[in-house]
Amino acid sequence: MYFLSGWPKRLLCPLESLEQPLHIQTDPQRAFFAVLSPSQLSVWYCRPSVLIVSYKELSKAASQFGPYKQAEWRPDSTMIAVSTANGYILFFEIPSTRDKYLYEPMYPKGSPHLKGAPHYKEEQCAPSLSLEMKKVLDLQASITSLQSMLEDLLVATADGFLHLVHWDGMTNGRKAINLCTVPFSVDLQSSRAGSFLGFEDVYIRDMEYCATLDGFAVVFNDGRVGFITPMSSRLTAEQLHGVWAQDVIDGTCVAVNNKYRLMAFGCANGSVQVYTVDTTTGAMQFSHKLELTPKQYPDIWNKTGPVKLIRWSPDSCVVMVTWECGGFSLWSVFGAQLICTLGGDFAYQSDGAKKDPLKISSMTWGSEGYHLWVIDGNSSSNMKPERDTYNEARQFGILQFHFIKSALTVNPCMSNQEQVLLQGEDRLYLNCGDAAQAQSPRNTSHSEHKPTRERGPFSDGSLDSQGLSTLLGHRHWHVVQIHSTYLESNWPIRFSAIDKLGQNVAVVGKFGFAHYSLLTKKWKLFGNITQEQNMMVTGGLAWWNDFIVLACYNLNDRQEELRIYLRTSNLDNAFAHITKVQADTLLLSVFRDMVILFRADCSICLYSIERRPEGLNPTASIQVLQEVSMSRYIPHPFLVVSVTLTSVRTETGITLKMPQQACEAESIMLNLAGQLIMLQRDRSGPQIRDKDNNPNQRKHLPFCAPVVLAQSVENVWTTSRINKQKRHLLEALWLSCGGAGMKVWLPLFPRDHRKPHSFLSRRIMLPFHINIYPLAVLFEDALVLGAVNDTVLYDCLYTQTSAREHLEVLFPFSIVERTSQIYLHHILRQLLVRNLGEQALLLAHSCATLPYFPHVLELMLHEVLEEEATSREPIPDPLLPTVAKFITEFPLFLQTVVHCARKTEYALWNYLFAAVGNPKDLFEECLMAQDLDTAASYLIILQNMEVPAVSRQHATLLFNTALEQGKWDLCRHMIRFLKAIGSGETETPPATPTTQEPSSSSGFEFFRHRSISLSQSAENLHSKFNLTKTLSMPSGPSGKRCSKDSDCAENMYIDMMLWRHARRLLEEIKLKDLGCFAAQLGFELIGWLCKERARAARVEDFVFALKKLHKDFRWPLPVIPASSITSPFKNGKYKTAVGEQLLKSQSVDTFVNMETDTGVSNTPRSRSWLGAISSSQREIDTVSSHGPHMQDAFLSPLLSKVSFSLMFLSVFDR
């Protein structure tokens, strides 16, 4: 919503007075601000913040009047009223001096800036003003509060009187009201029967006028708070009536929010109680509370002191709160905390030393909420102003904080977008990532009614949307600097909007507008500056395809207009479609091909918009569709926060009789001072058939009476897209409710198009809490996008001697970071709580392709487990069994449970597995599903919950399975796990992992800290755990404590399993697997093969073994040329039958018989066979003109008599 940016600035004062400021107040237009010191009144210009004029009281008059205390501006900014300590009110007049300016911008030669533009002087030059004291009024009592009311000034004094003073004719219009004569009651229905204050010394400490409630919020000196309203137009004692807030007895200050009709009362305990007025009874109704919680601020939450100041922002969306002991915090309108300076880098230095919090004695907001001027109370009491060596000016005790805010605060039509757009005074912050990557949007710009998310042939269903890749992007913002030419003459920026593709943005300043393309990196401004300056946007702006739709006031014709500009054409009125509007437009929104306007006469007007291709530059036409009067339901047009068209329907309109109605505008959503009101089309009568092809000419249905959907609503999100696979998410209504979190108005659909139950509602409102402030909703991706303030300390750059002089030391550098949060698990949980498991399954299955869906299930299980297992009181209807049963419907059930358990305390495991099932059964299910990694995680559970014998049994099963599947990393972990179990066995499972005996826990602790991290490489694991050929234990305390007997027994147990697996591989002639097995696990292969040469290493079928060997290593089989077969040897010993027999690939016995016939000696099965091969090699060398194939053919018969184990070694030697 609102976010701090950068460092604050300290204003420089050119005056030589040593008086420090004590009060600051902006004028109603927020172009100037007045600064009070004990005997001086100064008027400053806001942009730039420069001093214009100052009035210094003479010493004689100063002693008579006393020090200055408060200042109040006249609504037209022509006078200032100043109250003094001795009960005087000084009226200063600010006469207008036309065509006189103190500061003018200087541009270099050749600069494109034009000084002859309209309103140039007013916008870019600081005017010259003068202060003249016109009147002095003595009220003969100490003044406690000043409040401006149009042409009147209301003054509260310490003698218990209210004085109504006219700005003109002050003596004749003076009236005094004794508070003791004003009746007070709990509501207005008690009429005049209310009780009086009853104390002579009761007076008003602070008060503020609320125009939309037509009354005053007051705080009395005894801590009571109330609301005083006139019963008629006359403000007299006989016509006033007061209403108490019964629960507040320690009030200190008050501030009112006219847009939301809220009264915020600061209390002595550091909290802020926010009240509204019940329109039916007139009683003060509690809304919410702003307070720091011990969970967030354990050291300071109850040490802030009383609330000192409360100030609402100009757009009434946030409120700033300060305390007597220092510090400030920023809250949204309904209680979501945005900023607090009592913790983090604001409260502590980089070396951990605690800072003195900023004590604010006065503060005021600047134009559009971009600036906040505060008076530093610390500087006025501790620091003396020092002269700056460069500016020859004095350090003034006024700080200027800079803010950026969401576009939703002033342009709520952005709520149907999925981009986050923040606006500052001179730049925009976008989260849409690289616009060049967003060429394939969710929906095309000219066919919004077609189904979206059409999958490509290679789409995996996880990242098939443009939103998840480009909307999330990276953590950095895309910053767009607003064009300086437009900004200089039209500051401040009031509205901004971004199109659905995230490729174009438009901004509105004081006059005209400009738009920017993220693809071309260029701004487009009005070519005719006169057209820009004659146009003032009043109701906001929105994008419709390639067109910009805005409601403006034509200054020349004095006419409200609705204009449409084409993005690709020149920015000129000649290319705009202009439609005149009857009344002032306050709000504008676009839904598909319709435009909705809310006007100052409390009426809603619907327009149809249509694209017309005409030549090179297409145009758009607008036609009125329908007008709806809301004057009966809206007491004041300023109270309407947002208005939008949606396709959302209630249970009367959600029937499946007319499914084509899903594309139509079914209802109007109106946010009236936080109350969300829905006006749905009345389909109770006869339906109108679409006989005419032109939808603009057919008669539209009327709207039903408004229905209140929710309270305390800050923002509303809906979408115009259609997706049959995710109807729950796209047809829902998403609400932001401040401190109460979010709400979703979710549709409920019958399964498989069955007839719904008559008792089942068609929609349900589900509340849920999130940890961020929502700024956008990704509907199909089940994500909430937001932003959060972060800080960076730079105090280490300065020495301790100069630390007090630099704001970089006193305050951290504030930055804004993008953030997001999953909300799907909250909705699923709320559905399960309400026994809507079928709807939860439908919703979950529609989102099962999301990449973070497993995390959603884990979050839901973890949150329910933490709440129920740690509850101090018994839960009559626990939700955990239902959640466990729900998760079993998905294939990720086993992983979800074990991940949740490993992230949860051991003390909660019994409660968890009592609901999800026995961990031994879950372990066996993992083995049956061949999910060994998950099964390994379950071993940790079993090691803590079962006796070591059970853990060893299951670990052995997993170890054997991992050996069979060749998962060597897991095998290494299992070796360590088995050794850890054997290092200290106990017959009973330990109570908790932290209270185990050293002998039984140390090995497991080593294993658990190292974890079953299956992603580590074999090389790292081999070096870390020293898995050598001897299979030694890992070095550590547990290994040292183990006795030699248990160590040998455990090593023998593991070696037997390794031998058994190696013997099976050798018997199955899987030599490659045997080699990998030996290399990965450090198996001593040579010694073991020597032992097995007469058993498993003996070859029974040599031909099969040879073929298997070639197949495993992917070696080609030997091929003997025909010439080599027919050619006789030199000594004539061998015949051609040898080659024929080789080609026939007969059995080993054939080769043995053949060797006997040819007279070849039988070589014994020993290592001396190498000598025989050497002699045979020398004999082969004597053969002339024979290649390597003949050598292979000659060697093959010799190997028939050799042990299979020795053959294996020769193969690896080769």
Side-chain angles (χ1 to χ4, degrees):
M1 186 62 70
Y2 269 64
F3 307 96
L4 269 176
S5 176
W7 278 301
K9 297 180 180 179
R10 193 186 298 274
L11 301 188
L12 299 178
C13 180
L15 301 179
E16 296 185 0
S17 174
L18 296 178
E19 293 183 347
Q20 286 294 331
L22 53 88
H23 183 80
I24 187 170
Q25 182 70 36
T26 56
D27 73 315
Q29 284 73 36
R30 303 187 188 274
F32 309 94
F33 61 89
V35 178
L36 287 183
S37 57
S39 63
Q40 185 172 315
L41 169 63
S42 303
V43 177
W44 292 64
Y45 194 57
C46 287
R47 186 178 183 268
S49 297
V50 292
L51 178 64
I52 296 178
V53 64
S54 180
Y55 178 89
K56 175 69 174 177
E57 195 68 66
L58 298 177
S59 58
K60 182 178 180 180
S63 62
Q64 176 187 355
F65 300 147
Y68 293 168
K69 291 298 183 181
Q70 299 181 48
E72 188 71 19
W73 287 80
R74 189 171 178 171
D76 57 3
S77 301
T78 59
M79 295 187 70
I80 301 177
V82 177
S83 65
T84 65
N86 294 340
Y88 288 89
I89 299 180
L90 312 180
F91 292 89
F92 293 88
E93 186 179 6
I94 307 176
S96 61
T97 55
R98 298 180 179 179
D99 300 331
K100 291 185 179 181
Y101 299 92
L102 295 178
Y103 304 91
E104 292 189 13
M106 301 297 294
Y107 299 109
K109 294 182 179 180
S111 176
H113 299 84
L114 300 177
K115 293 188 177 182
H119 310 288
Y120 167 78
K121 293 288 187 180
E122 294 84 345
E123 298 300 330
Q124 302 188 38
C125 304
S128 175
L129 303 178
S130 61
L131 284 173
E132 299 177 5
M133 184 185 294
K134 287 297 183 180
K135 186 71 176 180
V136 176
L137 184 61
D138 184 9
L139 296 180
Q140 300 179 356
S142 178
I143 298 172
T144 59
S145 180
L146 289 177
Q147 183 64 45
S148 178
M149 290 178 51
L150 299 178
E151 295 301 321
D152 297 324
L153 181 67
L154 193 65
V155 184
T157 56
D159 57 358
F161 280 86
L162 277 176
H163 301 270
L164 186 63
V165 181
H166 291 287
W167 289 97
D168 295 330
M170 291 155 295
T171 54
N172 296 333
R174 177 181 175 184
K175 300 176 183 178
I177 302 172
N178 190 349
L179 293 176
C180 294
T181 62
V182 177
F184 277 81
S185 59
V186 295
D187 55 46
L188 294 180
Q189 290 181 344
S190 303
S191 185
R192 307 296 293 181
S195 61
F196 298 95
L197 294 179
F199 300 98
E200 295 181 358
D201 57 348
V202 173
Y203 60 89
I204 294 177
R205 176 190 294 181
D206 193 15
M207 66 178 177
E208 189 167 343
Y209 177 69
C210 182
T212 55
L213 289 175
D214 191 20
F216 298 90
V218 296
V219 177
F220 294 96
N221 61 320
D222 59 357
R224 291 181 292 177
V225 301
F227 180 73
I228 300 177
T229 179
M231 305 302 292
S232 64
S233 59
R234 299 183 60 187
L235 191 62
T236 61
E238 294 76 14
Q239 299 298 329
L240 292 181
H241 189 90
V243 179
W244 290 116
Q246 298 179 338
D247 298 332
V248 181
I249 57 174
D250 59 346
T252 58
C253 56
V254 65
V256 300
N257 187 324
N258 285 283
K259 193 170 187 177
Y260 288 88
R261 296 201 292 186
L262 296 175
M263 297 170 286
F265 295 96
C267 301
N269 61 2
S271 65
V272 177
Q273 306 275 0
V274 183
Y275 282 82
T276 186
V277 173
D278 190 347
T279 56
T280 304
T281 64
M284 293 186 65
Q285 183 178 359
F286 177 78
S287 174
H288 58 280
K289 182 188 294 187
L290 311 178
E291 63 178 352
L292 301 181
T293 61
K295 181 179 180 181
Q296 295 176 320
Y297 304 94
D299 299 331
I300 199 66
W301 68 276
N302 58 349
K303 302 176 183 178
T304 59
V307 175
K308 184 175 181 60
L309 297 171
I310 304 174
R311 295 290 183 270
W312 291 95
S313 62
D315 53 21
S316 302
C317 291
V318 294
V319 60
M320 184 69 75
V321 179
T322 67
W323 295 278
E324 290 283 355
C325 297
F328 64 85
S329 61
L330 188 69
W331 308 75
S332 70
V333 62
F334 287 111
Q337 183 179 314
L338 304 175
I339 302 168
C340 184
T341 62
L342 294 180
D345 293 338
F346 284 98
Y348 297 93
Q349 298 178 2
S350 58
D351 58 357
K354 189 172 179 60
K355 300 179 184 178
D356 292 331
L358 174 66
K359 294 184 179 181
I360 299 175
S361 59
S362 182
M363 63 180 175
T364 185
W365 286 94
S367 180
E368 298 295 327
Y370 295 130
H371 299 141
L372 178 73
W373 289 284
V374 305
I375 294 181
D376 186 0
N378 296 332
S379 64
S380 62
S381 59
N382 301 328
M383 297 178 59
K384 294 183 179 180
E386 298 181 1
R387 185 175 296 274
D388 189 277
T389 57
Y390 299 98
N391 302 33
E392 291 299 324
R394 294 181 179 273
Q395 292 282 348
F396 219 34
I398 299 179
L399 301 179
Q400 181 183 12
F401 289 90
H402 304 272
F403 289 87
I404 59 177
K405 62 180 182 178
S406 170
L408 291 172
T409 58
V410 288
N411 197 25
C413 73
M414 283 291 298
S415 61
N416 59 358
Q417 302 290 356
E418 297 188 357
Q419 292 91 3
V420 175
L421 176 61
L422 304 181
Q423 63 186 52
E425 62 170 340
D426 61 350
R427 67 196 63 191
L428 302 175
Y429 296 79
L430 297 84
N431 79 318
C432 53
D434 189 2
Q437 298 179 0
Q439 297 287 340
S440 301
R442 292 176 181 265
N443 53 340
T444 59
S445 57
H446 305 297
S447 59
E448 295 187 24
H449 298 277
K450 296 182 179 180
T452 59
R453 300 286 190 101
E454 294 181 0
R455 299 174 181 267
F458 303 99
S459 175
D460 60 355
S462 59
L463 296 177
D464 57 347
S465 67
Q466 178 258 348
L468 204 56
S469 57
T470 60
L471 294 179
L472 292 180
H474 44 75
R475 64 177 299 189
H476 302 289
W477 295 94
H478 188 119
V479 182
V480 177
Q481 189 76 30
I482 299 175
H483 201 284
S484 59
T485 303
Y486 178 78
L487 198 61
E488 285 177 355
S489 58
N490 297 286
W491 186 91
I493 297 300
R494 297 187 296 122
F495 305 104
S496 62
I498 187 170
D499 65 348
K500 288 182 182 275
L501 306 183
Q503 299 177 0
N504 302 281
V505 291
V507 295
V508 172
K510 188 173 183 179
F511 300 102
F513 75 98
H515 61 88
Y516 175 82
S517 172
L518 276 75
L519 294 176
T520 61
K521 313 291 184 184
K522 292 182 179 180
W523 281 94
K524 187 170 287 189
L525 311 179
F526 271 94
N528 188 344
I529 192 66
T530 305
Q531 293 182 3
E532 177 187 277
Q533 298 297 314
N534 288 334
M535 164 189 172
M536 181 180 292
V537 177
T538 58
L541 78 163
W543 286 88
W544 180 76
N545 298 337
D546 285 339
F547 294 90
I548 303 172
V549 184
L550 51 87
C552 64
Y553 180 75
N554 191 328
L555 297 177
N556 278 347
D557 300 339
R558 296 183 178 180
Q559 174 67 45
E560 287 285 337
E561 296 174 346
L562 181 62
R563 297 187 181 184
I564 301 178
Y565 291 85
L566 180 63
R567 177 185 61 84
T568 56
S569 64
N570 293 332
L571 203 51
D572 193 282
N573 292 342
F575 302 100
H577 180 85
I578 301 176
T579 302
K580 293 184 179 181
V581 182
Q582 300 298 326
D584 297 348
T585 302
L586 301 182
L587 293 169
L588 175 145
S589 182
V590 174
F591 176 80
R592 295 199 177 107
D593 297 333
M594 299 179 67
V595 179
I596 180 172
L597 299 183
F598 178 76
R599 302 183 299 200
D601 59 355
C602 296
S603 64
I604 297 174
C605 189
L606 304 180
Y607 295 85
S608 67
I609 181 171
E610 182 181 0
R611 182 187 180 97
R612 291 184 177 180
E614 296 179 2
L616 297 177
N617 293 325
T619 61
S621 63
I622 283 185
Q623 183 178 354
V624 179
L625 294 179
Q626 192 174 3
E627 291 190 12
V628 182
S629 177
M630 296 291 295
S631 58
R632 295 174 53 191
Y633 312 104
I634 300 176
H636 196 286
F638 183 70
L639 298 176
V640 178
V641 179
S642 66
V643 58
T644 183
L645 276 172
T646 69
S647 58
V648 175
R649 304 169 302 277
T650 57
E651 57 185 11
T652 58
I654 203 171
T655 54
L656 303 176
K657 296 180 180 179
M658 302 181 68
Q660 70 273 11
Q661 296 171 1
C663 300
E664 299 180 2
E666 285 291 319
S667 58
I668 297 175
M669 295 294 172
L670 197 74
N671 187 351
L672 179 63
Q675 274 191 340
L676 186 62
I677 299 175
M678 184 181 72
L679 288 84
Q680 187 181 359
R681 291 195 183 276
D682 187 3
R683 297 189 180 274
S684 59
Q687 301 297 300
I688 301 173
R689 298 186 179 274
D690 302 338
K691 295 182 180 180
D692 198 336
N693 293 330
N694 188 0
N696 300 330
Q697 297 180 0
R698 70 171 186 260
K699 182 179 179 181
H700 289 266
L701 293 174
F703 288 91
C704 300
V707 178
V708 178
L709 294 182
Q711 302 280 352
S712 304
V713 177
E714 295 181 359
N715 291 309
V716 182
W717 291 276
T718 182
T719 182
S720 59
R721 295 196 312 275
I722 301 174
N723 190 334
K724 294 182 179 180
Q725 283 72 33
K726 295 184 178 181
R727 293 183 62 189
H728 284 89
L729 299 179
L730 267 74
E731 297 185 23
L733 191 69
W734 305 88
L735 313 177
S736 172
C737 301
M742 291 188 68
K743 293 181 180 180
V744 56
W745 202 33
L746 197 70
L748 303 178
F749 301 105
R751 195 169 188 175
D752 302 329
H753 301 285
R754 292 177 292 183
K755 184 178 180 180
H757 298 289
S758 58
F759 60 86
L760 184 64
S761 176
R762 305 302 194 275
R763 282 187 177 271
I764 187 171
M765 187 72 74
L766 302 176
F768 59 93
H769 285 270
I770 58 175
N771 298 326
I772 65 174
Y773 188 87
L775 297 177
V777 177
L778 301 186
F779 303 98
E780 287 129 315
D781 298 319
L783 282 176
V784 173
L785 303 183
V788 64
N789 254 124
D790 198 4
T791 53
V792 181
L793 285 173
Y794 288 93
D795 54 0
C796 58
L797 302 178
Y798 301 91
T799 60
Q800 295 182 356
T801 57
S802 62
R804 294 176 63 89
E805 303 176 4
H806 297 278
L807 293 176
E808 293 83 354
V809 178
L810 299 177
F811 300 96
F813 186 83
S814 298
I815 57 177
V816 183
E817 289 189 350
R818 297 164 53 180
T819 183
S820 61
Q821 186 172 341
I822 303 171
Y823 60 78
L824 185 58
H825 61 289
H826 295 294
I827 302 177
L828 296 177
R829 177 181 176 180
Q830 291 293 332
L831 290 173
L832 294 178
V833 168
R834 290 160 176 79
N835 294 324
L836 295 174
E838 185 174 322
Q839 297 294 325
L841 277 178
L842 290 176
L843 176 58
H845 282 302
S846 66
C847 301
T849 57
L850 293 175
Y852 38 81
F853 182 74
H855 187 56
V856 170
L857 299 180
E858 184 180 339
L859 280 175
M860 181 172 60
L861 181 62
H862 181 78
E863 290 182 359
V864 175
L865 172 63
E866 289 283 345
E867 290 183 11
E868 295 187 357
T870 58
S871 177
R872 296 183 178 181
E873 298 182 0
I875 301 176
D877 188 13
L879 184 63
L880 187 61
T882 305
V883 173
K885 185 177 180 181
F886 175 80
I887 297 178
T888 56
E889 298 291 333
F890 301 91
L892 300 172
F893 165 70
L894 297 173
Q895 295 92 323
T896 302
V897 172
V898 73
H899 291 168
C900 176
R902 294 197 62 185
K903 298 175 184 177
T904 308
E905 295 180 4
Y906 167 75
L908 309 183
W909 284 4
N910 288 329
Y911 190 86
L912 171 64
F913 289 103
V916 300
N918 194 315
K920 293 187 291 186
D921 299 335
L922 301 178
F923 175 85
E924 294 174 0
E925 290 184 27
C926 293
L927 291 183
M928 295 177 60
Q930 300 297 315
D931 189 358
L932 303 189
D933 296 340
T934 305
S937 298
Y938 275 103
L939 275 181
I940 298 179
I941 312 297
L942 293 174
Q943 203 271 348
N944 282 270
M945 300 185 69
E946 302 290 343
V947 296
V950 177
S951 301
R952 173 184 290 182
Q953 177 185 1
H954 289 80
T956 304
L957 291 175
L958 180 59
F959 186 36
N960 291 330
T961 308
L963 288 174
E964 293 176 359
Q965 296 187 6
K967 297 201 172 185
W968 310 119
D969 289 342
L970 182 58
C971 291
R972 282 190 291 270
H973 286 297
M974 297 314 302
I975 291 175
R976 285 188 295 109
F977 186 73
L978 289 170
K979 289 179 179 290
I981 295 177
S983 62
E985 293 189 1
T986 57
E987 293 302 326
T988 58
T992 58
T994 58
T995 59
Q996 292 181 9
E997 295 296 330
S999 60
S1000 62
S1001 65
S1002 56
F1004 169 70
E1005 286 299 325
F1006 176 84
F1007 168 74
R1008 209 170 86 180
H1009 291 328
R1010 296 305 308 166
S1011 78
I1012 302 185
S1013 169
L1014 303 178
S1015 60
Q1016 298 182 5
S1017 62
E1019 292 79 9
N1020 293 338
L1021 288 169
H1022 187 79
S1023 61
K1024 287 182 180 179
F1025 304 118
N1026 193 21
L1027 291 176
T1028 58
K1029 295 181 180 180
T1030 59
L1031 292 176
S1032 61
M1033 282 284 293
S1035 60
S1038 61
K1040 294 179 180 179
R1041 283 191 294 265
C1042 293
S1043 62
K1044 293 184 179 181
D1045 296 338
S1046 60
D1047 191 8
C1048 296
E1050 196 62 36
N1051 286 338
M1052 180 60 65
Y1053 177 73
I1054 296 174
D1055 289 345
M1056 288 181 61
M1057 289 189 289
L1058 295 177
W1059 294 342
R1060 182 169 61 250
H1061 181 70
R1063 187 178 298 111
R1064 187 182 62 83
L1065 293 178
L1066 194 57
E1067 290 175 350
E1068 297 178 1
I1069 320 179
K1070 296 181 179 180
L1071 302 185
K1072 186 176 181 180
D1073 293 343
L1074 182 61
C1076 293
F1077 162 76
Q1080 293 288 343
L1081 300 183
F1083 186 72
E1084 191 176 355
L1085 188 60
I1086 297 177
W1088 181 80
L1089 285 175
C1090 293
K1091 298 178 182 179
E1092 296 291 328
R1093 60 183 178 181
R1095 295 191 295 271
R1098 180 177 179 81
V1099 177
E1100 300 296 338
D1101 190 342
F1102 174 78
V1103 176
F1104 174 77
L1106 186 61
K1107 288 183 178 181
K1108 189 65 179 296
L1109 182 66
H1110 280 268
K1111 183 178 179 180
D1112 282 351
F1113 290 93
R1114 296 182 180 179
W1115 291 344
L1117 292 172
V1119 178
I1120 303 176
S1123 59
S1124 300
I1125 298 175
T1126 57
S1127 299
F1129 287 106
K1130 180 179 180 180
N1131 53 12
K1133 289 184 179 180
Y1134 289 89
K1135 300 180 181 179
T1136 57
V1138 176
E1140 294 177 359
Q1141 296 292 342
L1142 287 173
L1143 292 178
K1144 291 181 180 179
S1145 301
Q1146 293 181 0
S1147 64
V1148 178
D1149 295 336
T1150 305
F1151 284 98
V1152 173
N1153 296 333
M1154 182 169 48
E1155 280 186 345
T1156 305
D1157 296 339
T1158 54
V1160 178
S1161 61
N1162 189 5
T1163 305
R1165 293 188 182 96
S1166 65
R1167 295 180 183 264
S1168 62
W1169 69 280
L1170 293 174
I1173 293 181
S1174 299
S1175 61
S1176 301
Q1177 184 68 33
R1178 289 192 298 270
E1179 185 179 4
I1180 292 173
D1181 291 339
T1182 59
V1183 181
S1184 61
S1185 303
H1186 296 295
H1189 296 289
M1190 180 57 69
Q1191 298 177 18
D1192 292 340
F1194 180 75
L1195 287 175
S1196 297
L1198 298 176
L1199 298 178
S1200 61
K1201 298 292 185 179
V1202 180
S1203 171
F1204 194 85
S1205 62
L1206 299 180
M1207 183 191 71
F1208 174 74
L1209 293 177
S1210 67
V1211 169
F1212 275 86
D1213 289 339
R1214 179 179 176 182

